[in-house]
Amino acid sequence: ARLGGLAIFFALSAVVIGILATSEALTSGEITLWHYVGVLLGGLILMIGGFLDDRFDLPAQTTILAPILAAFCAIGFGIEVDKLTNPFGGVMILTSFQSDILVFIWLMLVMYTTKFLDGLDGLATSVTSVGAIMIMLLSLTVTYFQPDVALLSAVTIGAYLGFLFWNVHPASIFLGEGGSTFVGFMLGILAVISGGKVATALLVLGIPLLDVVWVITRRFREGGIARVFVGDKKHLHHRLLALGWGQTRIVILYVAVAAAFGVSALFLQSREKLVALIILALVMLLTALFFVQKERHAKDQS
């Protein structure tokens, strides 16, 4: 039941390879064949690492090797960011070294965000589907027109939604370790190869990403670096579940927030996107304070 990630990976790989073998639709822009080789090899590494973890329940210090190798693989085959838009004006040109560091951090951040997000039926796949849809729509606009990126996004969406049909609550199949990181890996890749649309992906993943930052910070304060790798049930979706929310209701909330901020990214300029990210951070901060106060109140009563 935890091999759902393999279904997504093989479906996506089969379609991508089929298109590459029969047309130039996926290489009509700046994405080259080598980029696809790096992406698919990175995905394969995640599948192998995820299978081993699901089979043998590996420690967190070991499971992190697959995402690291997948990120290195993508970078090694040319996945990079040449420039970033400065929200205060102008463009920041990146060196190859700066690009490699940025892409590595970005991919690891997104992979672990979706890994931690995969705590409820359909949650991680639904949110990443929203992200892929937004990048596809953005790639079809006159300003950014990138038909190759739009097509790859569409293939990714199809693979996600085909799996999601069986993954909605009550789920009959699950992403597993490999799938939970692969859906984030693909969204991170789409954000990079579409010309550095990192802000769009950040807006879609804003709440779960900030939740990861919150959880890691809390764990570190409780027990140092070793505590960071110890899982718990204190992610935002777990807390909402403890409040009595149903899984479907929580997933709808996450999707609605992701879609609302994702759609805004289609119309906002760089500085306005920064404002939207700040608003998201404030919302998450208020939410965190609410649950902290609730925990303290519960301890005082006990």
Side-chain angles (χ1 to χ4, degrees):
R2 290 189 288 178
L3 293 179
L6 279 174
I8 295 176
F9 173 71
F10 284 130
L12 187 148
S13 299
V15 176
V16 166
I17 292 171
I19 296 174
L20 289 173
T22 56
S23 77
E24 297 181 354
L26 283 174
T27 52
S28 60
E30 296 185 6
I31 313 176
T32 68
L33 180 62
W34 284 111
H35 291 144
Y36 289 107
V37 173
V39 171
L40 296 183
L41 281 179
L44 181 61
I45 290 170
L46 292 175
M47 292 302 106
I48 295 172
F51 172 79
L52 292 175
D53 181 46
D54 290 333
R55 180 68 179 83
F56 300 106
D57 194 21
L58 303 175
Q61 294 90 332
T62 303
T63 59
I64 197 174
L65 292 177
I68 288 175
L69 290 175
F72 280 152
C73 188
I75 293 168
F77 280 88
I79 300 296
E80 62 181 4
V81 178
D82 295 326
K83 58 185 178 181
L84 289 175
T85 302
N86 188 335
F88 301 104
V91 174
M92 295 180 287
I93 305 299
L94 302 179
T95 66
S96 295
F97 180 70
Q98 291 172 329
S99 171
D100 292 346
I101 293 176
L102 178 62
V103 172
F104 177 78
I105 294 173
W106 167 246
L107 290 178
M108 291 297 294
L109 187 63
V110 180
M111 282 189 281
Y112 267 82
T113 295
T114 54
K115 171 185 166 72
F116 290 164
L117 188 62
D118 187 35
L120 300 179
D121 293 347
L123 184 55
T125 313
S126 296
V127 173
T128 49
S129 294
V130 172
I133 289 171
M134 296 307 158
I135 291 177
M136 180 185 71
L137 294 176
L138 202 58
S139 299
L140 290 173
T141 60
V142 176
T143 305
Y144 298 103
F145 192 60
Q146 298 167 295
D148 51 342
V149 175
L151 180 56
L152 180 59
S153 300
V155 172
T156 303
I157 295 163
Y160 286 1
L161 295 183
F163 164 79
L164 188 59
F165 181 82
W166 306 98
N167 186 235
V168 293
H169 184 71
S172 57
I173 191 168
F174 307 94
L175 284 171
E177 173 71 16
S180 66
T181 50
F182 181 67
V183 293
F185 177 73
M186 279 307 303
L187 182 58
I189 291 291
L190 288 172
V192 172
I193 64 176
S194 58
K197 295 181 178 62
V198 174
T200 300
L202 277 174
L203 284 171
V204 171
L205 291 175
I207 293 297
L209 193 150
L210 291 168
D211 178 52
V212 169
V213 174
W214 172 30
V215 168
I216 289 178
T217 302
R218 176 182 52 77
R219 289 179 185 175
F220 183 78
R221 291 180 61 185
E222 290 176 354
I225 191 67
R227 180 70 180 84
V228 170
F229 293 98
V230 180
D232 55 36
K233 295 289 185 179
K234 291 189 177 182
H235 290 284
L236 178 60
H237 51 273
H238 291 138
R239 293 174 184 269
L240 291 173
L241 200 62
L243 286 178
W245 286 43
Q247 291 200 37
T248 301
R249 184 183 178 187
I250 297 171
V251 171
I252 290 174
L253 171 66
Y254 270 76
V255 169
V257 172
F261 280 93
V263 169
S264 72
L266 301 179
F267 305 99
L268 299 179
Q269 300 302 313
S270 296
R271 185 174 299 183
E272 295 164 341
K273 288 179 183 178
L274 179 61
V275 173
L277 286 170
I278 293 173
I279 292 173
L280 262 179
L282 290 174
V283 169
M284 193 62 197
L285 177 61
L286 292 174
T287 304
L289 290 174
F290 168 77
F291 283 111
V292 168
Q293 291 299 322
K294 188 177 178 63
E295 282 186 355
R296 288 177 179 174
H297 181 68
K299 287 181 181 179
D300 291 340
Q301 284 188 331
S302 61

